[in-house]
Amino acid sequence: MKSTLLLRHLKVENANAISGLTYGFPAISHFLGFTHALSRRLEQAYGLTLGGCAVIAHSTELQSQPLGNRREQVFALTRNPLTKEGKTAPFNEEGRVHLDISLLIECDFNADGLPGVGALDQSVQILQTWFERTVPTLRLAGGTITALEQVQWRECYDETELRRLRMRLLPGFALVCRHDLLTEHHQQSIKMEPESELLDSLLDFVTLRHQAQQDDTGAVSWQQLAKPAPGYLVPLAVGYQGISPLYEPGSIPSSRDQETPFLFVESIYSLGQWVSPHRIQDLDSLLWRYRHQEPYYLCENLYVAPSLSVEEDDEEFIS
């Protein structure tokens, strides 16, 4: 990572809230796709490219409403125009969410590659101004970007600047991958139930389970079972797996792009975790990057949980 670009408090309206079987927040592929689209425009303008992306969520507002008097929620949908016959037009259910996020983007260039021939401060200002004008013209997860509080490019962070950056990202939570927890729990599940599948282990993290317990008097009470690991853990769509041969361009009549090879895929799920930025010791552990290994098309994050105790971590945050 040669340098970083911080898009702070990026506000998005009506972003896609459904990711395969999960809902509530856009898939990580949306943010990497946004970074890729921004990188293509940057390459056309200045010959520079971007790399991975870290996602920090400050607030989310899911567009849903209660169903009657029950606790069940349904998505708040829009009404499509009537058909020519005056009937209600059919539509697909769409989940939408308003976001307030910050993106920390990896840059594949340093100060020597900045545009302009003047001083370094002028070159940095030219680049930041370009991002301020270009970012609002793009779409993020299908949503409209309505505001961008700050754009900051920095070549490197010392210990003091890194600490200041982490504090500026609060209040918020960074999304990381915890496939290590899922794998560890699945290995334990196999020992107890050899026929257990990986999906069963994933559901153990995201479902609420209760067990009946009977005391000495014969009274029965229901107790909620603890999840396999503590933390703000969520199911996460992390990419796709090919389930068909790679077809030649134009050989599938219903495909949108007749000039690109076509492949049928299915979603891949793993375990994610929302962590507070003040616990992060290395910015590289927050970054998501693409990884293609046939037949997998993955969004990969190499986060490693810190080994600090609770007391040490709290002391670092307060000081």
Side-chain angles (χ1 to χ4, degrees):
M1 182 168 56
K2 297 181 179 180
S3 60
T4 58
L5 172 71
L6 176 63
L7 304 180
R8 188 165 176 262
H9 282 288
L10 190 67
K11 296 185 178 181
V12 186
E13 290 186 355
N14 296 324
N16 180 26
I18 300 177
S19 304
L21 299 177
T22 67
Y23 81 97
F25 196 79
I28 199 66
S29 57
H30 285 297
F31 301 100
L32 286 179
F34 169 81
T35 303
H36 179 67
L38 187 61
S39 177
R40 294 181 63 179
R41 286 162 174 76
L42 182 63
E43 187 175 13
Q44 293 177 357
Y46 298 113
L48 307 176
T49 58
L50 306 175
C53 174
V55 182
I56 298 91
H58 302 288
S59 68
T60 62
E61 183 181 350
L62 186 64
Q63 300 302 291
S64 63
Q65 57 190 14
L67 183 61
N69 295 325
R70 296 180 291 178
R71 295 183 179 180
E72 183 179 359
Q73 294 277 326
V74 296
F75 288 117
L77 304 178
T78 57
R79 176 69 178 269
N80 295 335
L82 299 178
T83 62
K84 296 180 179 180
E85 293 78 17
K87 299 181 180 179
T88 302
F91 62 92
N92 294 325
E93 186 177 31
E94 295 181 352
R96 297 175 291 113
V97 61
H98 298 341
L99 303 173
D100 181 4
I101 61 174
S102 292
L103 299 181
L104 186 66
I105 300 176
E106 178 185 24
C107 299
D108 297 330
F109 55 89
N110 51 27
D112 296 335
L114 293 180
V117 294
L120 178 60
D121 293 342
Q122 296 179 355
S123 298
V124 172
Q125 186 59 44
I126 292 175
L127 184 67
Q128 293 180 165
T129 301
W130 183 88
F131 280 114
E132 291 174 354
R133 295 176 178 176
T134 306
V135 168
T137 65
L138 302 179
R139 306 275 285 191
L140 177 55
T144 303
I145 298 175
T146 60
L148 174 58
E149 181 178 294
Q150 183 186 29
V151 176
Q152 182 184 55
W153 178 87
R154 187 175 292 275
E155 188 170 10
C156 60
Y157 288 91
D158 56 26
E159 184 176 351
T160 302
E161 292 170 340
L162 178 59
R163 180 180 179 81
R164 186 180 297 113
L165 171 65
R166 293 183 298 178
M167 295 302 107
R168 294 187 67 188
L169 293 176
L170 296 176
F173 292 91
L175 183 60
V176 297
C177 183
R178 295 309 308 271
H179 190 71
D180 55 328
L181 291 179
L182 178 59
T183 303
E184 180 181 355
H185 174 63
H186 184 59
Q187 295 298 329
Q188 297 175 356
S189 299
I190 291 179
K191 295 179 182 179
M192 301 177 60
E193 299 181 9
E195 297 181 356
S196 176
E197 297 184 357
L198 193 58
L199 180 59
D200 299 323
S201 299
L202 177 61
L203 292 177
D204 290 340
F205 285 94
V206 300
T207 56
L208 297 178
R209 298 180 300 166
H210 293 77
Q211 185 178 33
Q213 295 183 355
Q214 185 176 13
D215 56 19
D216 298 336
T217 62
V220 177
S221 61
W222 289 89
Q223 302 295 330
Q224 183 174 332
L225 299 179
K227 294 187 177 182
Y232 193 170
L233 302 171
V234 292
L236 192 63
V238 294
Y240 305 93
Q241 177 182 356
I243 57 175
S244 73
L246 186 64
Y247 295 98
E248 295 295 330
S251 59
I252 305 298
S254 58
S255 63
R256 295 182 179 180
D257 188 352
Q258 296 293 316
E259 299 179 356
T260 304
F262 188 90
L263 179 71
F264 289 96
V265 299
E266 62 181 5
S267 296
I268 298 177
Y269 301 94
S270 185
L271 188 67
Q273 183 177 9
W274 292 103
V275 297
S276 179
H278 85 275
R279 302 178 184 272
I280 302 302
Q281 304 297 326
D282 181 15
L283 292 181
D284 192 69
S285 65
L286 291 181
L287 295 175
W288 290 84
R289 300 181 177 94
Y290 285 123
R291 182 169 71 89
H292 172 219
Q293 182 180 354
E294 191 70 29
Y296 302 104
Y297 302 83
L298 296 175
C299 303
E300 187 178 52
N301 170 255
L302 302 179
Y303 173 79
V304 178
S307 58
L308 294 176
S309 64
V310 176
E311 292 79 5
E312 292 173 337
D313 207 7
D314 290 342
E315 182 180 357
E316 180 195 8
F317 175 65
I318 296 173
S319 60

